[in-house]
């Protein structure tokens, strides 16, 4: 139904290449399709394509954010999502207090420090993990981790401009020990704010410069890993291949911050490019491109429809 209220879970990238050979193929990354994942009132999920030329139209139906529920991890390959039983408002980021406590995925962050995990989460954490160094459009560089099956997807969802895998760890405990080591001794952050990623895409640095920044940081991390006494990993040097859908956002060219807040009102535009959760949007009635931070929609309730974003009245101020 056109007036169905959907709870937004966020932007996800699916269909990553299954083999190293496929990862080297640019064409293979057409299969890494970005979607906006929505939850209906009965708990079912719907996915809207965010590939180039897709149309996204919606009205924000509720004030504030609602709880996204919680996850139970059964194994490395199976997990279940449970909608919030009380449809409560979000109190901790995107969850109510009850769902935050019930969510098993949060336990993984303390596993390497001796934290308790469930049998299913332990199975997930004991699979192969990768350590990466990612650089974003403004030159900010971070260290991060990804499980084997989500090796490519993780960086696509992060919205990296350039990235390098620097270690293959036998499990999630080892890779998180390495991640903390890199932060403590090399000074690389483990998190880059979504707002900072969006702002950097307004004036992205040249690709060659970002590649050089990433290569220097990755080299420093490999040098650090070569000296560590931590066991259970192999140092690697493997480039991540950015999805083709992100190309226009990282290329040179004029673009502007989206002029409307995503916590209210009606919005509608064509997607020209997508990097992580940031879209390069084309608004009806203007040739200007706008960077829209779609992560701001997570935990909000929207109604889909044939809407169009208002073009700023003083267009001259944009140029």
């Amino acid at each position: 139904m056109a007036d169905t209220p959907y709870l937004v879970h966020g932007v996800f990238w699916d269909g990553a290449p299954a083999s190293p050979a496929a990862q080297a193929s640019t064409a293979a990354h057409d299969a890494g399709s970005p979607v906006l994942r929505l939850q209906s009132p009965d708990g079912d999920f719907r996915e809207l394509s965010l590939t180039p030329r897709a149309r996204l139209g919606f009205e924000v139906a509720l004030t504030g954010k609602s709880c996204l529920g919680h996850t139970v991890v059964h194994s490395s390959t199976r997990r279940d999502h449970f909608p919030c039983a009380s449809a409560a408002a979000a109190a901790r980021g995107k969850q109510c207090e009850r769902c935050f406590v019930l969510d098993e995925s949060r336990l993984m962050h303390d596993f390497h420090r001796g934290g308790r995990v469930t049998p299913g989460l332990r199975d997930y954490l004991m699979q192969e993990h990768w350590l990466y160094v990612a650089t974003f459009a403004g030159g900010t560089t971070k260290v991060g981790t990804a499980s084997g099956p989500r090796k490519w997807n993780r960086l696509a969802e992060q919205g990296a401009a350039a990235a390098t895998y620097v270690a293959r760890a036998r499990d999630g405990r080892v890779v998180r020990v390495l991640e903390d080591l890199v932060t403590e001794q090399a000074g690389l952050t483990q998190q880059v704010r979504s707002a900072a990623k969006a702002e950097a895409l307004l004036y992205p640095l040249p690709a060659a410069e970002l590649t050089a920044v990433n290569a220097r940081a990755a080299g420093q991390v490999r040098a650090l890993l070569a000296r560590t006494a931590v066991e259970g990993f192999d140092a690697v040097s493997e480039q991540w291949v950015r999805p083709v859908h992100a190309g226009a956002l990282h290329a040179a060219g004029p673009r502007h911050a989206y002029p409307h807040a995503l916590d209210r009102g009606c919005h509608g535009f064509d997607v020209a490019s997508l990097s992580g959760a940031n879209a390069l949007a084309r608004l009806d009635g203007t040739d200007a491109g706008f960077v829209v931070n779609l992560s701001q929609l997570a935990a909000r309730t929207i109604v889909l429809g044939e809407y169009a974003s208002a073009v700023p009245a003083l267009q001259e101020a944009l140029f």
Side-chain angles (χ1 to χ4, degrees), residues 5-292:
Y6 289 101
L7 182 59
V8 180
H9 277 248
V11 176
F12 295 85
W13 289 76
D14 295 312
S19 67
Q23 294 216 15
S25 168
T26 301
H29 290 272
D30 288 324
S33 300
V35 298
L36 186 67
R37 189 164 296 160
L38 310 175
Q39 180 187 321
S40 69
D42 60 9
D44 293 334
F45 282 94
R46 173 179 179 179
E47 294 184 342
L48 297 182
S49 173
L50 294 175
T51 54
R53 294 181 295 279
R55 179 74 180 184
L56 181 61
F58 61 91
E59 179 180 9
V60 179
L62 296 177
T63 300
K65 296 185 177 183
S66 300
C67 177
L68 294 183
H70 67 278
T71 299
V72 173
V73 183
H74 300 286
S75 69
S76 62
T77 58
R78 180 174 164 246
R79 61 180 61 198
D80 286 328
H81 170 264
F82 293 90
C84 180
S86 56
R92 279 181 179 263
K94 303 169 189 174
Q95 293 174 302
C96 67
E97 291 287 352
R98 177 179 180 275
C99 287
F100 175 80
V101 172
L102 291 174
D103 197 293
E104 295 182 359
S105 62
R106 68 182 175 84
L107 301 174
M108 69 175 66
H109 303 295
D110 289 322
F111 176 59
H112 62 298
R113 303 186 186 100
R116 178 189 65 84
V117 295
T118 63
L121 185 57
R122 178 177 292 276
D123 184 67
Y124 167 82
L125 289 168
M126 295 311 289
Q127 68 182 321
E128 179 181 84
H129 278 69
W130 295 76
L131 186 73
Y132 65 77
V133 173
T135 301
F136 297 88
T140 300
T141 300
K142 62 160 284 187
V143 61
T145 72
S147 64
R150 303 208 81 245
K151 176 185 176 186
W152 181 83
N153 309 65
R154 175 66 173 159
L155 280 160
E157 289 170 357
Q158 290 278 309
T164 307
Y165 303 104
V166 291
R168 181 177 61 245
R170 70 187 178 201
D171 57 46
R173 185 193 67 80
V174 171
V175 82
R176 283 168 177 79
V177 170
L178 296 177
E179 182 184 33
D180 284 352
L181 180 70
V182 171
T183 295
E184 293 166 5
Q185 299 193 22
L188 290 187
T189 183
Q190 296 181 15
Q191 186 174 8
V192 179
R193 295 182 302 109
S194 64
K197 295 176 185 179
E199 184 177 1
L201 286 167
L202 296 174
Y203 307 98
L205 295 176
E209 183 175 343
L210 293 172
T211 299
V213 169
N214 185 256
R216 286 195 297 271
Q220 292 170 355
V221 171
R222 281 192 294 270
L224 172 61
L225 297 180
R227 302 191 301 270
T228 184
V230 178
E231 298 180 345
F233 75 94
D234 295 315
V236 299
S237 181
E238 180 183 326
Q239 290 297 121
W240 173 72
V241 181
R242 193 177 67 203
V244 294
H245 299 320
L249 259 175
H250 290 278
R255 72 283 305 264
H256 317 280
Y258 185 63
H260 308 298
L262 290 180
D263 60 356
R264 65 183 76 90
C266 299
H267 309 263
F269 45 80
D270 295 324
V271 176
S273 179
L274 194 83
S275 176
N278 287 296
L280 180 61
R282 301 295 183 189
L283 274 58
D284 301 345
T286 178
D287 293 330
F290 297 85
V291 176
V292 184

